[in-house]
Every structure is written in structure tokens, then in C-alpha cells.
Short mmCIF file of all heavy atoms in Angstrom, two decimals:
data_model
loop_
_atom_site.label_atom_id
_atom_site.label_comp_id
_atom_site.label_asym_id
_atom_site.label_seq_id
_atom_site.Cartn_x
_atom_site.Cartn_y
_atom_site.Cartn_z
N MET A 277 -0.35 44.74 8.30
CA MET A 277 -0.64 43.55 8.91
C MET A 277 0.18 42.39 8.17
O MET A 277 0.38 42.41 7.03
CB MET A 277 -2.13 43.02 8.67
CG MET A 277 -2.47 41.79 9.37
SD MET A 277 -4.25 41.40 9.13
CE MET A 277 -4.85 42.27 10.59
N ASN A 278 0.82 41.49 9.09
CA ASN A 278 1.76 40.49 8.57
C ASN A 278 0.97 39.20 8.40
O ASN A 278 0.46 38.61 9.47
CB ASN A 278 2.87 40.42 9.51
CG ASN A 278 4.02 39.59 8.90
OD1 ASN A 278 3.95 39.16 7.74
ND2 ASN A 278 5.00 39.34 9.56
N THR A 279 0.78 38.57 7.39
CA THR A 279 0.18 37.31 7.11
C THR A 279 1.19 36.28 6.67
O THR A 279 2.02 36.72 5.73
CB THR A 279 -1.08 37.42 6.18
OG1 THR A 279 -0.65 37.81 5.00
CG2 THR A 279 -2.11 38.28 6.79
N THR A 280 1.07 35.03 6.96
CA THR A 280 1.89 33.95 6.50
C THR A 280 1.04 32.90 5.71
O THR A 280 -0.07 32.73 6.16
CB THR A 280 2.61 33.33 7.67
OG1 THR A 280 1.70 32.85 8.54
CG2 THR A 280 3.60 34.19 8.30
N THR A 281 1.53 32.39 4.77
CA THR A 281 0.89 31.42 3.87
C THR A 281 1.68 30.14 3.89
O THR A 281 2.96 30.20 4.17
CB THR A 281 0.81 31.88 2.42
OG1 THR A 281 1.71 32.80 2.14
CG2 THR A 281 -0.65 32.25 2.01
N ASN A 282 0.81 29.14 3.99
CA ASN A 282 1.52 27.88 4.07
C ASN A 282 1.95 27.43 2.66
O ASN A 282 1.02 27.09 1.84
CB ASN A 282 0.54 26.95 4.69
CG ASN A 282 1.18 25.53 4.97
OD1 ASN A 282 2.43 25.32 4.84
ND2 ASN A 282 0.41 24.61 5.50
N THR A 283 3.29 27.36 2.37
CA THR A 283 3.69 27.07 1.02
C THR A 283 4.30 25.61 0.97
O THR A 283 4.69 25.23 -0.08
CB THR A 283 4.71 28.17 0.66
OG1 THR A 283 5.86 28.11 1.61
CG2 THR A 283 4.14 29.42 0.45
N ARG A 284 4.30 25.01 2.08
CA ARG A 284 4.85 23.67 2.07
C ARG A 284 3.83 22.72 1.47
O ARG A 284 2.68 22.84 1.65
CB ARG A 284 5.10 23.15 3.53
CG ARG A 284 6.21 23.89 4.20
CD ARG A 284 6.51 23.35 5.60
NE ARG A 284 5.69 22.26 6.02
CZ ARG A 284 5.85 21.54 7.06
NH1 ARG A 284 6.75 21.95 7.94
NH2 ARG A 284 5.06 20.53 7.47
N PRO A 285 4.39 21.73 0.60
CA PRO A 285 3.44 20.73 0.11
C PRO A 285 2.81 19.88 1.09
O PRO A 285 3.36 19.57 2.19
CB PRO A 285 4.31 19.92 -0.89
CG PRO A 285 5.79 20.14 -0.39
CD PRO A 285 5.74 21.48 0.40
N ARG A 286 1.52 19.52 0.91
CA ARG A 286 0.84 18.58 1.71
C ARG A 286 1.51 17.39 1.98
O ARG A 286 1.78 16.56 0.96
CB ARG A 286 -0.53 18.47 1.40
CG ARG A 286 -1.31 19.75 1.62
CD ARG A 286 -2.80 19.53 1.25
NE ARG A 286 -3.38 18.27 1.64
CZ ARG A 286 -4.53 17.89 1.38
NH1 ARG A 286 -5.36 18.58 0.70
NH2 ARG A 286 -4.96 16.74 1.71
N VAL A 287 1.77 16.85 3.09
CA VAL A 287 2.42 15.53 3.35
C VAL A 287 1.47 14.45 3.11
O VAL A 287 1.90 13.39 2.49
CB VAL A 287 2.87 15.48 4.78
CG1 VAL A 287 3.56 14.13 5.07
CG2 VAL A 287 3.94 16.54 5.06
N THR A 288 0.10 14.67 3.31
CA THR A 288 -0.78 13.59 3.06
C THR A 288 -0.90 13.29 1.59
O THR A 288 -1.32 12.07 1.27
CB THR A 288 -2.19 14.00 3.65
OG1 THR A 288 -2.56 15.24 2.99
CG2 THR A 288 -2.15 14.17 5.09
N ALA A 289 -0.52 14.10 0.66
CA ALA A 289 -0.59 13.79 -0.80
C ALA A 289 0.27 12.56 -1.08
O ALA A 289 -0.02 11.63 -1.78
CB ALA A 289 -0.26 14.91 -1.62
N GLY A 290 1.54 12.59 -0.53
CA GLY A 290 2.46 11.51 -0.68
C GLY A 290 2.08 10.41 0.00
O GLY A 290 2.30 9.15 -0.59
N VAL A 291 1.48 10.46 1.14
CA VAL A 291 1.04 9.21 1.82
C VAL A 291 -0.17 8.53 1.11
O VAL A 291 -0.03 7.42 1.00
CB VAL A 291 0.59 9.58 3.31
CG1 VAL A 291 -0.02 8.47 4.01
CG2 VAL A 291 1.79 10.08 4.08
N GLY A 292 -1.08 9.31 0.64
CA GLY A 292 -2.08 8.73 -0.13
C GLY A 292 -1.67 7.98 -1.35
O GLY A 292 -2.19 6.90 -1.65
N ARG A 293 -0.64 8.55 -2.08
CA ARG A 293 -0.10 7.94 -3.17
C ARG A 293 0.64 6.58 -2.84
O ARG A 293 0.40 5.58 -3.47
CB ARG A 293 0.92 8.93 -3.93
CG ARG A 293 1.33 8.39 -5.21
CD ARG A 293 2.42 9.28 -5.82
NE ARG A 293 2.07 10.72 -5.78
CZ ARG A 293 2.86 11.59 -5.19
NH1 ARG A 293 4.00 11.40 -4.84
NH2 ARG A 293 2.32 12.77 -5.12
N LEU A 294 1.34 6.63 -1.62
CA LEU A 294 1.88 5.47 -1.29
C LEU A 294 0.93 4.29 -0.88
O LEU A 294 0.98 3.13 -1.25
CB LEU A 294 2.85 5.66 -0.11
CG LEU A 294 3.57 4.52 0.60
CD1 LEU A 294 4.37 3.86 -0.34
CD2 LEU A 294 4.32 4.98 1.85
N VAL A 295 -0.19 4.69 -0.21
CA VAL A 295 -1.12 3.80 0.20
C VAL A 295 -1.74 3.18 -0.95
O VAL A 295 -2.04 1.97 -1.05
CB VAL A 295 -2.21 4.47 1.29
CG1 VAL A 295 -3.42 3.52 1.46
CG2 VAL A 295 -1.57 4.66 2.47
N ARG A 296 -2.23 3.97 -2.04
CA ARG A 296 -2.77 3.54 -3.23
C ARG A 296 -1.75 2.51 -3.84
O ARG A 296 -2.32 1.42 -4.39
CB ARG A 296 -3.01 4.57 -4.16
CG ARG A 296 -4.35 5.35 -3.73
CD ARG A 296 -4.76 6.24 -4.94
NE ARG A 296 -3.83 7.31 -5.31
CZ ARG A 296 -3.51 8.42 -4.61
NH1 ARG A 296 -4.30 8.75 -3.67
NH2 ARG A 296 -2.65 9.22 -5.15
N ARG A 297 -0.62 2.80 -3.94
CA ARG A 297 0.54 1.95 -4.51
C ARG A 297 0.52 0.59 -3.87
O ARG A 297 0.56 -0.45 -4.58
CB ARG A 297 1.79 2.67 -4.56
CG ARG A 297 2.98 1.84 -5.25
CD ARG A 297 2.68 1.48 -6.60
NE ARG A 297 3.71 0.63 -7.20
CZ ARG A 297 3.71 0.27 -8.40
NH1 ARG A 297 2.70 0.59 -9.33
NH2 ARG A 297 4.64 -0.67 -8.88
N LEU A 298 0.48 0.53 -2.50
CA LEU A 298 0.63 -0.62 -1.69
C LEU A 298 -0.74 -1.44 -2.02
O LEU A 298 -0.67 -2.66 -2.05
CB LEU A 298 0.68 -0.28 -0.17
CG LEU A 298 1.93 0.16 0.27
CD1 LEU A 298 1.92 0.60 1.73
CD2 LEU A 298 3.05 -0.95 0.11
N GLU A 299 -1.91 -0.83 -2.10
CA GLU A 299 -3.13 -1.45 -2.45
C GLU A 299 -3.08 -2.17 -3.87
O GLU A 299 -3.48 -3.34 -3.94
CB GLU A 299 -4.26 -0.48 -2.46
CG GLU A 299 -5.60 -1.13 -2.81
CD GLU A 299 -6.07 -2.11 -1.74
OE1 GLU A 299 -5.68 -2.15 -0.70
OE2 GLU A 299 -6.98 -2.97 -2.11
N ILE A 300 -2.44 -1.50 -4.83
CA ILE A 300 -2.25 -2.07 -6.24
C ILE A 300 -1.37 -3.40 -5.90
O ILE A 300 -1.70 -4.52 -6.53
CB ILE A 300 -1.66 -1.11 -7.07
CG1 ILE A 300 -2.71 -0.11 -7.38
CG2 ILE A 300 -1.28 -1.81 -8.37
CD1 ILE A 300 -2.16 1.11 -8.17
N GLU A 301 -0.30 -3.28 -5.26
CA GLU A 301 0.59 -4.41 -5.08
C GLU A 301 -0.06 -5.47 -4.20
O GLU A 301 0.22 -6.56 -4.63
CB GLU A 301 1.97 -3.89 -4.35
CG GLU A 301 2.89 -2.98 -5.17
CD GLU A 301 3.36 -3.71 -6.43
OE1 GLU A 301 3.62 -4.94 -6.41
OE2 GLU A 301 3.42 -2.98 -7.43
N ARG A 302 -0.77 -5.15 -3.28
CA ARG A 302 -1.37 -6.11 -2.53
C ARG A 302 -2.32 -7.00 -3.34
O ARG A 302 -2.39 -8.26 -3.27
CB ARG A 302 -2.34 -5.56 -1.34
CG ARG A 302 -2.83 -6.50 -0.44
CD ARG A 302 -3.73 -5.90 0.67
NE ARG A 302 -4.83 -5.32 0.07
CZ ARG A 302 -6.01 -5.90 -0.26
NH1 ARG A 302 -6.08 -7.33 -0.14
NH2 ARG A 302 -7.02 -5.39 -0.88
N ARG A 303 -3.15 -6.26 -4.22
CA ARG A 303 -4.11 -6.97 -5.07
C ARG A 303 -3.29 -7.92 -6.13
O ARG A 303 -3.74 -9.01 -6.45
CB ARG A 303 -4.90 -5.97 -5.78
CG ARG A 303 -5.90 -5.43 -4.98
CD ARG A 303 -6.82 -4.46 -5.75
NE ARG A 303 -7.76 -3.86 -4.89
CZ ARG A 303 -8.62 -2.81 -5.18
NH1 ARG A 303 -8.42 -2.31 -6.37
NH2 ARG A 303 -9.49 -2.31 -4.30
N ARG A 304 -2.11 -7.39 -6.58
CA ARG A 304 -1.44 -8.11 -7.59
C ARG A 304 -0.84 -9.46 -6.80
O ARG A 304 -0.95 -10.48 -7.37
CB ARG A 304 -0.12 -7.42 -8.01
CG ARG A 304 0.62 -8.06 -9.10
CD ARG A 304 1.81 -7.26 -9.65
NE ARG A 304 1.36 -5.97 -10.01
CZ ARG A 304 2.22 -4.96 -10.30
NH1 ARG A 304 3.51 -5.09 -10.05
NH2 ARG A 304 1.76 -3.75 -10.77
N TRP A 305 -0.40 -9.41 -5.56
CA TRP A 305 0.21 -10.56 -4.94
C TRP A 305 -0.90 -11.48 -4.44
O TRP A 305 -0.67 -12.73 -4.40
CB TRP A 305 0.95 -10.02 -3.68
CG TRP A 305 2.31 -9.63 -4.07
CD1 TRP A 305 2.78 -8.40 -4.15
CD2 TRP A 305 3.37 -10.48 -4.26
NE1 TRP A 305 4.14 -8.45 -4.57
CE2 TRP A 305 4.49 -9.70 -4.56
CE3 TRP A 305 3.59 -11.89 -4.35
CZ2 TRP A 305 5.78 -10.27 -4.95
CZ3 TRP A 305 4.82 -12.38 -4.68
CH2 TRP A 305 5.87 -11.58 -4.94
N SER A 306 -2.07 -11.09 -4.14
CA SER A 306 -3.15 -11.92 -3.68
C SER A 306 -3.96 -12.61 -4.78
O SER A 306 -4.43 -13.65 -4.54
CB SER A 306 -4.16 -11.20 -2.78
OG SER A 306 -4.86 -10.11 -3.59
N ARG A 307 -3.64 -12.25 -6.09
CA ARG A 307 -4.24 -12.76 -7.23
C ARG A 307 -3.28 -13.78 -8.00
O ARG A 307 -2.22 -13.45 -8.08
CB ARG A 307 -4.76 -11.69 -8.22
CG ARG A 307 -5.23 -12.11 -9.55
CD ARG A 307 -5.57 -10.95 -10.19
NE ARG A 307 -4.72 -9.70 -9.97
CZ ARG A 307 -4.51 -8.67 -10.55
NH1 ARG A 307 -5.24 -8.44 -11.61
NH2 ARG A 307 -3.77 -7.73 -10.22
N THR A 308 -3.83 -14.94 -8.32
CA THR A 308 -3.02 -15.88 -8.98
C THR A 308 -3.74 -16.38 -10.23
O THR A 308 -4.85 -16.75 -10.11
CB THR A 308 -2.62 -17.19 -8.10
OG1 THR A 308 -3.69 -17.69 -7.69
CG2 THR A 308 -1.68 -16.70 -6.92
N GLU A 309 -3.23 -16.27 -11.33
CA GLU A 309 -3.82 -16.81 -12.57
C GLU A 309 -3.65 -18.30 -12.73
O GLU A 309 -4.43 -18.98 -13.24
CB GLU A 309 -3.31 -16.08 -13.81
CG GLU A 309 -3.69 -14.60 -13.85
CD GLU A 309 -2.71 -13.81 -13.02
OE1 GLU A 309 -1.64 -14.18 -12.88
OE2 GLU A 309 -3.26 -12.65 -12.65
N LEU A 310 -2.40 -18.79 -12.49
CA LEU A 310 -2.16 -20.19 -12.71
C LEU A 310 -2.28 -21.01 -11.36
O LEU A 310 -2.16 -20.39 -10.30
CB LEU A 310 -0.68 -20.42 -13.21
CG LEU A 310 -0.38 -19.55 -14.37
CD1 LEU A 310 1.09 -19.58 -14.65
CD2 LEU A 310 -1.08 -20.10 -15.65
N PRO A 311 -2.50 -22.27 -11.47
CA PRO A 311 -2.61 -23.14 -10.33
C PRO A 311 -1.08 -23.17 -9.67
O PRO A 311 -0.02 -23.30 -10.34
CB PRO A 311 -2.90 -24.54 -10.76
CG PRO A 311 -2.94 -24.47 -12.19
CD PRO A 311 -2.81 -23.10 -12.75
N VAL A 312 -0.96 -22.91 -8.29
CA VAL A 312 0.25 -22.85 -7.69
C VAL A 312 0.25 -23.88 -6.60
O VAL A 312 -0.74 -24.44 -6.00
CB VAL A 312 0.58 -21.46 -7.18
CG1 VAL A 312 0.69 -20.45 -8.18
CG2 VAL A 312 -0.67 -21.15 -6.17
N VAL A 313 1.46 -24.23 -6.08
CA VAL A 313 1.61 -25.21 -5.05
C VAL A 313 1.12 -24.44 -3.67
O VAL A 313 1.15 -23.24 -3.56
CB VAL A 313 2.97 -25.71 -4.89
CG1 VAL A 313 3.37 -26.57 -6.09
CG2 VAL A 313 4.00 -24.62 -4.65
N PRO A 314 0.57 -25.29 -2.70
CA PRO A 314 0.09 -24.55 -1.48
C PRO A 314 1.30 -23.72 -0.85
O PRO A 314 0.88 -22.73 -0.23
CB PRO A 314 -0.15 -25.77 -0.63
CG PRO A 314 -0.52 -26.83 -1.69
CD PRO A 314 0.32 -26.66 -2.71
N THR A 315 2.41 -24.12 -0.82
CA THR A 315 3.54 -23.25 -0.29
C THR A 315 3.53 -21.97 -0.89
O THR A 315 3.75 -20.90 -0.09
CB THR A 315 4.97 -24.01 -0.44
OG1 THR A 315 4.84 -25.38 0.14
CG2 THR A 315 6.02 -23.23 0.29
N GLU A 316 3.53 -21.83 -2.26
CA GLU A 316 3.62 -20.51 -2.84
C GLU A 316 2.31 -19.73 -2.61
O GLU A 316 2.48 -18.51 -2.36
CB GLU A 316 3.73 -20.71 -4.35
CG GLU A 316 3.89 -19.36 -5.08
CD GLU A 316 4.04 -19.56 -6.63
OE1 GLU A 316 4.25 -20.57 -7.13
OE2 GLU A 316 3.93 -18.43 -7.29
N GLN A 317 1.17 -20.39 -2.53
CA GLN A 317 -0.01 -19.77 -2.24
C GLN A 317 -0.02 -19.10 -0.83
O GLN A 317 -0.41 -17.93 -0.65
CB GLN A 317 -1.15 -20.73 -2.27
CG GLN A 317 -2.58 -20.12 -2.06
CD GLN A 317 -3.64 -21.14 -2.18
OE1 GLN A 317 -3.34 -22.29 -2.34
NE2 GLN A 317 -4.90 -20.65 -2.39
N ALA A 318 0.53 -19.92 0.16
CA ALA A 318 0.67 -19.35 1.50
C ALA A 318 1.71 -18.22 1.50
O ALA A 318 1.51 -17.15 2.21
CB ALA A 318 1.23 -20.46 2.39
N TRP A 319 2.83 -18.34 0.78
CA TRP A 319 3.72 -17.24 0.80
C TRP A 319 3.15 -15.92 0.10
O TRP A 319 3.28 -14.85 0.72
CB TRP A 319 4.99 -17.69 -0.10
CG TRP A 319 6.14 -16.70 -0.13
CD1 TRP A 319 7.06 -16.55 0.83
CD2 TRP A 319 6.37 -15.83 -1.16
NE1 TRP A 319 7.91 -15.51 0.53
CE2 TRP A 319 7.58 -15.18 -0.75
CE3 TRP A 319 5.95 -15.65 -2.44
CZ2 TRP A 319 8.12 -14.12 -1.66
CZ3 TRP A 319 6.41 -14.67 -3.16
CH2 TRP A 319 7.64 -13.91 -2.82
N ARG A 320 2.40 -16.08 -0.86
CA ARG A 320 1.70 -14.97 -1.55
C ARG A 320 0.74 -14.34 -0.66
O ARG A 320 0.69 -13.08 -0.52
CB ARG A 320 1.12 -15.42 -2.95
CG ARG A 320 1.93 -15.66 -3.99
CD ARG A 320 1.25 -16.08 -5.12
NE ARG A 320 2.01 -15.98 -6.44
CZ ARG A 320 2.16 -14.90 -7.10
NH1 ARG A 320 1.44 -13.85 -6.81
NH2 ARG A 320 2.94 -14.90 -8.13
N ALA A 321 0.00 -15.14 0.10
CA ALA A 321 -0.90 -14.65 1.09
C ALA A 321 -0.19 -13.76 2.25
O ALA A 321 -0.68 -12.82 2.65
CB ALA A 321 -1.77 -15.72 1.71
N GLY A 322 0.91 -14.31 2.59
CA GLY A 322 1.71 -13.57 3.72
C GLY A 322 2.25 -12.25 3.14
O GLY A 322 2.31 -11.34 3.86
N VAL A 323 2.76 -12.20 1.85
CA VAL A 323 3.18 -10.97 1.26
C VAL A 323 1.97 -9.98 1.21
O VAL A 323 2.15 -8.74 1.64
CB VAL A 323 3.72 -11.28 -0.06
CG1 VAL A 323 3.98 -9.86 -0.79
CG2 VAL A 323 5.08 -11.98 -0.02
N ALA A 324 0.90 -10.44 0.82
CA ALA A 324 -0.36 -9.62 0.66
C ALA A 324 -0.75 -8.99 2.12
O ALA A 324 -1.08 -7.94 2.27
CB ALA A 324 -1.43 -10.33 0.02
N GLU A 325 -0.69 -9.82 3.08
CA GLU A 325 -1.03 -9.57 4.40
C GLU A 325 0.05 -8.41 4.96
O GLU A 325 -0.42 -7.49 5.63
CB GLU A 325 -1.08 -10.77 5.39
CG GLU A 325 -1.44 -10.40 6.74
CD GLU A 325 -2.89 -9.91 7.02
OE1 GLU A 325 -3.65 -9.97 6.01
OE2 GLU A 325 -3.14 -9.36 8.11
N GLY A 326 1.19 -8.57 4.55
CA GLY A 326 2.28 -7.73 5.07
C GLY A 326 1.95 -6.30 4.46
O GLY A 326 2.17 -5.36 5.14
N LEU A 327 1.64 -6.33 3.12
CA LEU A 327 1.35 -5.03 2.46
C LEU A 327 0.19 -4.34 3.15
O LEU A 327 0.00 -3.23 3.27
CB LEU A 327 1.08 -5.23 0.94
CG LEU A 327 2.36 -5.67 0.14
CD1 LEU A 327 2.00 -6.08 -1.18
CD2 LEU A 327 3.30 -4.52 0.12
N ARG A 328 -0.85 -5.23 3.50
CA ARG A 328 -2.11 -4.64 4.06
C ARG A 328 -1.79 -4.01 5.47
O ARG A 328 -2.27 -2.84 5.72
CB ARG A 328 -3.21 -5.76 4.40
CG ARG A 328 -4.55 -5.17 4.81
CD ARG A 328 -5.50 -6.37 5.05
NE ARG A 328 -4.99 -7.18 6.30
CZ ARG A 328 -5.22 -6.67 7.50
NH1 ARG A 328 -5.82 -5.57 7.79
NH2 ARG A 328 -4.94 -7.41 8.56
N LEU A 329 -0.94 -4.63 6.25
CA LEU A 329 -0.58 -4.17 7.60
C LEU A 329 0.27 -2.89 7.38
O LEU A 329 0.13 -1.90 8.14
CB LEU A 329 0.26 -5.19 8.25
CG LEU A 329 -0.55 -6.39 8.76
CD1 LEU A 329 0.29 -7.33 9.38
CD2 LEU A 329 -1.71 -5.86 9.72
N ALA A 330 1.06 -2.83 6.27
CA ALA A 330 2.01 -1.50 6.13
C ALA A 330 0.88 -0.40 5.73
O ALA A 330 1.27 0.62 6.18
CB ALA A 330 2.90 -1.77 4.83
N GLN A 331 -0.18 -0.67 4.88
CA GLN A 331 -1.17 0.32 4.65
C GLN A 331 -1.67 0.90 5.81
O GLN A 331 -1.77 2.07 6.08
CB GLN A 331 -2.32 -0.19 3.78
CG GLN A 331 -1.79 -0.31 2.37
CD GLN A 331 -3.01 -0.93 1.53
OE1 GLN A 331 -3.46 -2.02 1.87
NE2 GLN A 331 -3.46 -0.11 0.68
N LEU A 332 -2.06 0.02 6.80
CA LEU A 332 -2.76 0.40 8.10
C LEU A 332 -1.75 1.37 8.90
O LEU A 332 -2.24 2.27 9.42
CB LEU A 332 -3.15 -0.76 8.94
CG LEU A 332 -4.33 -1.48 8.42
CD1 LEU A 332 -4.61 -2.87 9.18
CD2 LEU A 332 -5.61 -0.67 8.34
N ALA A 333 -0.52 0.89 9.00
CA ALA A 333 0.36 1.61 9.69
C ALA A 333 0.73 3.01 9.19
O ALA A 333 0.75 3.97 9.91
CB ALA A 333 1.79 0.81 9.83
N ILE A 334 0.71 3.05 7.82
CA ILE A 334 0.92 4.33 7.30
C ILE A 334 -0.30 5.27 7.53
O ILE A 334 -0.11 6.48 7.84
CB ILE A 334 1.16 4.18 5.63
CG1 ILE A 334 2.51 3.58 5.47
CG2 ILE A 334 1.13 5.56 4.90
CD1 ILE A 334 2.77 3.15 4.06
N ARG A 335 -1.44 4.75 7.38
CA ARG A 335 -2.60 5.54 7.63
C ARG A 335 -2.70 6.10 8.97
O ARG A 335 -3.21 7.20 9.21
CB ARG A 335 -3.97 4.72 7.29
CG ARG A 335 -4.11 4.57 5.82
CD ARG A 335 -5.50 3.97 5.62
NE ARG A 335 -5.63 3.75 4.09
CZ ARG A 335 -6.16 2.69 3.56
NH1 ARG A 335 -6.41 1.52 4.27
NH2 ARG A 335 -6.32 2.57 2.23
N LYS A 336 -2.32 5.23 10.00
CA LYS A 336 -2.33 5.62 11.44
C LYS A 336 -1.22 6.54 11.65
O LYS A 336 -1.22 7.15 12.75
CB LYS A 336 -2.26 4.38 12.29
CG LYS A 336 -3.42 3.52 12.43
CD LYS A 336 -3.16 2.47 13.43
CE LYS A 336 -4.52 1.76 13.75
NZ LYS A 336 -4.36 0.73 14.82
N GLY A 337 -0.17 6.56 10.90
CA GLY A 337 1.03 7.47 11.13
C GLY A 337 2.01 6.83 12.15
O GLY A 337 2.75 7.53 12.80
N VAL A 338 2.15 5.57 12.17
CA VAL A 338 2.99 4.88 12.93
C VAL A 338 4.35 4.81 12.38
O VAL A 338 4.56 4.63 11.17
CB VAL A 338 2.54 3.36 13.19
CG1 VAL A 338 3.60 2.50 14.08
CG2 VAL A 338 1.26 3.38 13.87
#
């Protein structure tokens, strides 16, 4: 009898690592320790939102 084993690494392991890394970066960008001007605050919020959307796209497989 001929059996085949799946020896390829799981693709989801790399995706999970990437999603976790994006979550860490999103939290870093959304958190501010010092008072910042409203423009910088809005810019940081935009970066954090972009990272969040990237996570969603990766999870969906887009």
C-alpha cells in the first residue's frame, strides 16, 4: 500500500506569527506616553487602523 505524508510546513503558522506581530505593532502605535499634538495623534490612530485592517485581510486570506 502506498501512503503519502504531508511534509510541508503549515502555512497558518507563519500567518499566525505575522498577525501576532501586527497586533503588537498596532498596540505600540495606538499607545502614547507623552502628550502629543492632535495631528500626531490622528496620524498614529491612522497607522494603528491600517495595521488592524491588515490583520483582518491576512486572517481572511485576501
Side-chain angles (χ1 to χ4, degrees):
M277 182 179 272
N278 193 4
T279 59
T280 57
T281 18
N282 191 2
T283 57
R284 290 182 5 175
R286 287 181 39 183
V287 177
T288 56
V291 171
R293 189 179 317 125
L294 179 60
V295 169
R296 283 192 303 274
R297 179 66 185 177
L298 284 172
E299 178 65 21
I300 291 167
E301 290 297 324
R302 185 186 67 79
R303 287 181 182 170
R304 184 182 304 166
W305 276 101
S306 60
R307 173 182 28 171
T308 58
E309 289 84 23
L310 303 173
V312 293
V313 294
T315 306
E316 183 180 351
Q317 185 178 10
W319 184 77
R320 286 177 165 273
V323 171
E325 180 66 10
L327 291 171
R328 188 186 69 80
L329 292 173
Q331 281 181 297
L332 288 174
I334 291 168
R335 284 187 181 135
K336 283 185 171 181
V338 175

